[in-house]
Every structure is written in C-alpha cells, then in structure tokens.
Amino acid sequence: MFTGIVEATVKVLGVRDEAGSRKLTLERIGDDLKPGQSVAVNGVCLTVADLTTGKGASMSFDLVAETLKLTNLGRLVAGDGVHVERSLAANGRLDGHFVLGHIDGMVSLVSQVEDDNGVRLILKAAKELAKYLIPKGSVAIDGVSLTIASIKGETFEVALIPTTMRLTMLTNQPEDWMFNLETDVLSKTVVSWLERRGK
C-alpha cells in the first residue's frame, strides 16, 4: 500500500535485459531498506531484489514481461529520472490516497497548459480505462497522487501546483509520453460490480 506522495526522484543507474525480463537498477533510498520489501517506482509496486551500499549505493528490481508491457518501466534507460515511494507503514500518515501500485495501463500526454496556479496536464486514456475516471476523483500518474480536474470523453486534466512540479518529473516529459495510470480502487470496484450485473 502506498499514498502517491513521492518520496524522492532518483536516477536509473542501469537496465539489463534478460530472457523475458529486465533488471532495473536505481539510486538507493533509505538506509533501512531490505531485500523483499516493496517500493513503488513510477507508481508500480516492485520488490527489492538486490541492494548495494557505500558510494553509488543502488537498489535493483526484477521486471517481468507483464510489467514491461503494461507500464513505462520498459522504456527507461540509464540516466532517466523516476519517482519512488516506500510502502506505507501501519502508523504512517496518509497524505495522498490509497495507491496499490497495480497499474491499470498507460495514458498519453496530449499537452501541458500553464495557468495562474501552475500547470495542467491534458491526458488521453484508452476507452477501457476512461470508464474508471470520475470528476474530482483520485488517480496516480507515474505514482503521484492527483485529483482529476475535468473529464471530456477519454481526455482528462489534472492540475499541478508548484510544489508538485518541483518535487516530481511530471512536467519534464515530452508530448506523447506514456504515463502509468492507476485509477481509484473505489471507482474500479463500483464499475466492475455494475458490469458483472449487466448494468
């Protein structure tokens, strides 16, 4: 379980493709991190496979074919920046919303629009994902907890305040960048329940 409040933005140190999988190595966060623990990387819940300490300390994760297909982690190269968040402690503060780290799919960046308060990202979702989007509902975009500002068909907008812009990579991406999307678990539950009953 995560909150969508990014703990840090770290660099990709390396990627190594193997038979049907990929090893992703990032700059390490947290001195108390242990193998087997969960870390959200661009919103994707991953298990720590290996750790190194000292200068150039790193953490590595094994990515299976399904993860590479459904998320943008397969597009990463050394030097890219990613959002990371360790799992929520039972006594931790829930500042964002409940984020499971289970990506529903990717959405494309249509454009960025500046306004008086910051920047709006205009995003386009596939039809099978758009049905889970609700006005003022929560989403996680590359692991960042955001509120949907508006929806028109399969296009929706999220507003970024200056703090979010400073602490994340969301405004650093080019048009057509594919962001990882996790929709709100409550909306998915309601829609799925209704669909199973033919409504």
Side-chain angles (χ1 to χ4, degrees):
M1 182 76 70
F2 305 93
T3 68
I5 303 300
V6 170
E7 190 170 344
T9 298
V10 302
K11 279 189 179 178
V12 176
L13 298 179
V15 294
R16 188 176 77 243
D17 290 321
E18 301 169 347
S21 65
R22 168 174 279 200
K23 176 79 77 174
L24 176 66
T25 302
L26 309 176
E27 291 176 321
R28 180 172 173 171
I29 59 167
D31 294 334
D32 58 344
L33 198 62
K34 296 181 175 127
Q37 290 185 327
S38 295
V39 175
V41 178
N42 274 2
V44 185
C45 181
L46 300 177
T47 301
V48 176
D50 299 296
L51 294 166
T52 65
T53 57
K55 187 176 180 181
S58 67
M59 53 186 181
S60 295
F61 308 87
D62 295 315
L63 310 180
V64 298
E66 187 76 0
T67 301
L68 296 173
K69 182 176 81 171
L70 293 177
T71 75
N72 61 23
L73 299 188
R75 303 172 182 221
L76 298 174
V77 297
D80 283 345
V82 292
H83 305 138
V84 292
E85 179 191 352
R86 287 177 290 182
S87 57
L88 177 66
N91 63 347
R93 188 183 300 276
L94 184 62
D95 288 323
H97 72 281
F98 286 122
V99 176
L100 304 181
H102 302 160
I103 300 302
D104 297 304
M106 291 182 283
V107 293
S108 61
L109 175 61
V110 176
S111 63
Q112 299 184 37
V113 179
E114 292 189 22
D115 61 24
D116 293 338
N117 300 312
V119 166
R120 284 185 175 235
L121 299 184
I122 302 173
L123 305 161
K124 185 172 179 60
K127 187 174 183 180
E128 62 268 20
L129 295 179
K131 65 185 179 181
Y132 299 123
L133 302 173
I134 56 175
K136 307 306 179 188
S138 297
V139 288
I141 304 293
D142 270 4
V144 182
S145 175
L146 297 167
T147 301
I148 295 174
S150 67
I151 303 173
K152 186 175 182 180
E154 293 160 14
T155 300
F156 68 103
E157 298 182 16
V158 291
L160 308 182
I161 60 172
T163 300
T164 303
M165 294 163 58
R166 187 177 73 252
L167 296 177
T168 74
M169 301 280 298
L170 293 180
T171 56
N172 295 24
Q173 307 300 358
E175 286 187 11
D176 296 326
W177 174 256
M178 301 301 289
F179 288 109
N180 296 329
L181 171 71
E182 181 182 333
T183 56
D184 184 70
V185 64
L186 295 177
S187 68
K188 280 187 287 191
T189 300
V190 171
V191 170
S192 297
W193 186 89
L194 290 171
E195 285 184 340
R196 286 197 303 273
R197 282 151 183 79
K199 299 183 180 179

